[in-house]
Amino acid sequence: EAGVAQSPRYKIIEKRQSVAFWCNPISGHATLYWYQQILGQGPKLLIQFQNNGVVDDSQLPKDRFSAERLKGVDSTLKIQPAKLEDSAVYLCASSQPFQRNTEAFFGQGTRLTVV
Amino acid sequence: DAKTTQPNSMESNEEEPVHLPCNHSTISGTDYIHWYRQLPSQGPEYVIHGLTSNVNNRMASLAIAEDRKSSTLILHRATLRDAAVYYCILRETDTGFQKLVFGTGTRLLVSP
């Protein structure tokens, strides 16, 4: 089966600019996660969707980050305006819902560099 | 969130078994124990999971303590491709939705 697709793979922007990342989860997966991974750290959950509804965005910096999942399939994560500390890899993952014994599948991530 | 504790790093020689420990003393009765690994420049990938009994799959084995307060991921014969960061995660449910919260993991170094 096709995996989780993310684009772009790399992005370099100047601080205060805007950027958007796209994720296409595995077909049929209702749960979608966005993570931020700063170099040397474990992935940090930013937002979790169940279909097109948000179930957890407690760690999303809402003054500059936004995410949506229209029609419960693809998702976009936006940063506006970007800061230097937003430099990280942004990972998207998907899984079946409501079951704690199922695995999550991750994309390869988008590496963002803010200069 | 339930927490896990892992050593920052471990070293192994190629072809030898590796035992990666994880402590999760605050685990609840319904939390599954999941292991993921992250190869360099890749997203995390699922390795194995279990609830109470030991589990085996093609990648690894998972040994779970009787009181479930700790577990050990076992790689039977380490290869250079197994060099990665290994994360032990408690798959828990909060308000009906499962969460997947990563810690800092164990960096496994494999020498030829």
Side-chain angles (χ1 to χ4, degrees):
Chain A
E1 63 182 1
V4 176
Q6 288 189 249
S7 67
R9 285 296 312 277
Y10 305 93
K11 190 74 175 179
I12 301 174
I13 62 172
E14 296 182 351
K15 59 183 179 182
R16 292 188 289 273
Q17 285 187 324
S18 302
V19 64
F21 313 126
W22 174 82
C23 173
N24 181 237
I26 291 174
S27 178
H29 281 190
T31 302
L32 186 146
Y33 311 82
W34 280 103
Y35 290 86
Q36 178 193 59
Q37 186 170 26
I38 293 172
L39 187 65
Q41 299 181 15
K44 169 189 168 185
L45 180 66
L46 292 177
I47 189 167
Q48 178 177 344
F49 290 94
Q50 188 70 25
N51 295 308
N52 60 348
V54 176
V55 299
D56 185 355
D57 63 357
S58 57
Q59 300 213 75
L60 186 74
K62 299 180 184 65
D63 58 335
R64 298 184 301 107
F65 286 64
S66 64
E68 61 180 8
R69 189 182 184 196
L70 299 177
K71 301 181 181 179
V73 182
D74 293 4
S75 178
T76 56
L77 176 69
K78 297 179 182 178
I79 308 175
Q80 180 179 11
K83 293 184 176 181
L84 296 177
E85 58 260 37
D86 298 332
S87 294
V89 175
Y90 291 85
L91 295 161
C92 179
S94 70
S95 72
Q96 296 286 355
F98 299 124
Q99 296 173 12
R100 283 161 290 166
N101 60 345
T102 57
E103 61 188 281
F105 295 83
F106 284 78
Q108 287 197 297
T110 296
R111 182 177 297 277
L112 173 66
T113 303
V114 182
V115 298
Chain B
D1 296 337
K3 294 292 189 290
T4 62
T5 304
Q6 298 178 254
N8 288 332
S9 64
M10 293 185 65
E11 295 186 26
S12 174
N13 294 319
E14 202 174 9
E15 306 284 315
E16 292 187 353
V18 180
H19 291 232
L20 299 168
C22 180
N23 288 319
H24 29 78
S25 58
T26 60
I27 191 171
S28 73
T30 54
D31 289 342
Y32 278 79
I33 302 159
H34 283 240
W35 284 80
Y36 283 73
R37 74 178 185 180
Q38 188 171 22
L39 302 171
S41 301
Q42 300 286 324
E45 65 174 346
Y46 167 82
V47 177
I48 199 167
H49 75 270
L51 183 61
T52 56
S53 304
N54 294 344
V55 184
N56 300 295
N57 67 20
R58 63 176 179 80
M59 290 181 69
S61 296
L62 177 60
I64 301 173
E66 196 168 333
D67 63 5
R68 298 205 338 118
K69 294 183 184 301
S70 66
S71 61
T72 301
L73 180 70
I74 302 167
L75 307 179
H76 295 286
R77 291 180 64 191
T79 69
L80 296 178
R81 289 191 300 272
D82 291 323
V85 178
Y86 287 78
Y87 296 96
C88 170
I89 298 168
L90 298 184
R91 198 87 151 106
E92 56 190 339
T93 296
D94 185 10
T95 65
F97 299 102
Q98 55 182 324
K99 300 175 73 170
L100 188 62
V101 179
F102 287 78
T104 54
T106 297
R107 181 174 299 278
L108 176 65
L109 305 172
V110 181
S111 302

